[in-house]
């Protein structure tokens, strides 16, 4: 990683912070690691988000671990459900750890040879929150046995 990678990362991180401040959103930041954490109170699911500016790969990462897990026999259904949800997503994806049943959502945006605007960052943050709220609630209902694999997307 060279100096230009660090300059581009710092510029992207500053734009991220400006976007968050412009909207009056609260966050916890780590300027040394170029990371921000915040909580989204959704209509169906509350989640803790982590945003990282990856200087080496010139990526802005947004991810969250959902506040539930698929237990035992439900893990296979969880993996099928995550695959079904991902089919519909245009940006970002859910992942499941089949060993412990935890579900994550992640999205990455490249800023290689470009600059990400505040508006684009706000869109990414809102889009990830809306996606997690909509589909995370359904995945939680499946994990809790409220819905079945046949009807969880309805």
């Amino acid at each position: 990683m060279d100096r230009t990678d660090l300059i581009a990362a710092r510029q992207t991180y500053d734009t991220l912070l400006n976007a968050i401040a412009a909207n009056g959103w609260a966050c916890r930041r780590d300027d040394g690691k170029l990371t921000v954490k915040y909580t989204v109170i959704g209509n169906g699911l509350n989640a803790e988000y982590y945003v990282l500016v990856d200087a080496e790969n010139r990526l802005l990462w947004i991810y969250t671990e959902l506040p539930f897990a698929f237990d035992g026999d439900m893990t296979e259904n969880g993996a099928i459900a995550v695959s079904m949800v991902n089919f519909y997503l245009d940006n970002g994806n859910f992942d499941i750890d089949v060993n412990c049943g935890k579900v994550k959502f992640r999205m990455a945006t490249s800023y290689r040879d470009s600059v990400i605007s505040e508006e684009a960052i706000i869109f990414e943050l809102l889009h990830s929150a809306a996606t997690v709220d909509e589909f995370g609630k359904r995945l939680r209902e499946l994990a809790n046995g409220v819905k079945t694999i046949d009807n969880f997307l309805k």
Side-chain angles (χ1 to χ4, degrees):
M1 176 170 43
D2 63 19
R3 181 170 161 70
T4 59
D5 292 331
L6 295 173
I7 291 169
R10 176 52 72 178
Q11 182 179 23
T12 301
Y13 182 69
D14 290 343
T15 304
L16 168 65
L17 294 176
N18 290 338
I20 290 170
N23 283 281
W25 298 334
C27 70
R28 295 167 310 285
R29 52 193 263 193
D30 185 333
D31 296 340
K33 294 181 180 176
L34 304 179
T35 61
V36 171
K37 292 181 182 180
Y38 58 95
T39 302
V40 173
I41 312 281
N43 292 324
L45 191 74
N46 299 343
E48 180 82 11
Y49 287 78
Y50 181 75
V51 183
L52 164 70
V53 177
D54 178 348
E56 185 174 349
N57 296 303
R58 292 199 180 196
L59 292 170
L60 176 73
W61 284 98
I62 303 170
Y63 63 92
T64 183
E65 184 174 300
L66 280 61
F68 63 86
F70 286 88
D71 293 326
D73 295 339
M74 290 300 294
T75 304
E76 185 176 326
N77 279 344
I80 293 167
V82 163
S83 178
M84 291 169 69
V85 168
N86 284 341
F87 178 80
Y88 292 102
L89 299 182
D90 57 350
N91 198 0
N93 67 284
F94 288 91
D95 292 309
I96 186 169
D97 182 334
V98 295
N99 295 313
C100 64
K102 291 186 180 208
V103 178
K104 292 182 180 182
F105 177 81
R106 64 181 169 169
M107 181 185 314
T109 303
S110 175
Y111 60 88
R112 184 170 303 282
D113 300 324
S114 64
V115 175
I116 302 175
S117 68
E118 284 184 33
E119 293 80 11
I121 289 175
I122 290 167
F123 173 81
E124 295 291 320
L125 297 175
L126 293 175
H127 181 71
S128 64
T131 301
V132 169
D133 194 51
E134 178 182 356
F135 292 108
K137 177 184 176 189
R138 295 173 189 202
L139 290 167
R140 182 184 61 203
E141 289 173 340
L142 178 63
N144 292 338
V146 174
K147 293 205 172 199
T148 67
I149 192 69
D150 297 322
N151 72 2
F152 90 99
L153 282 177
K154 296 176 184 170

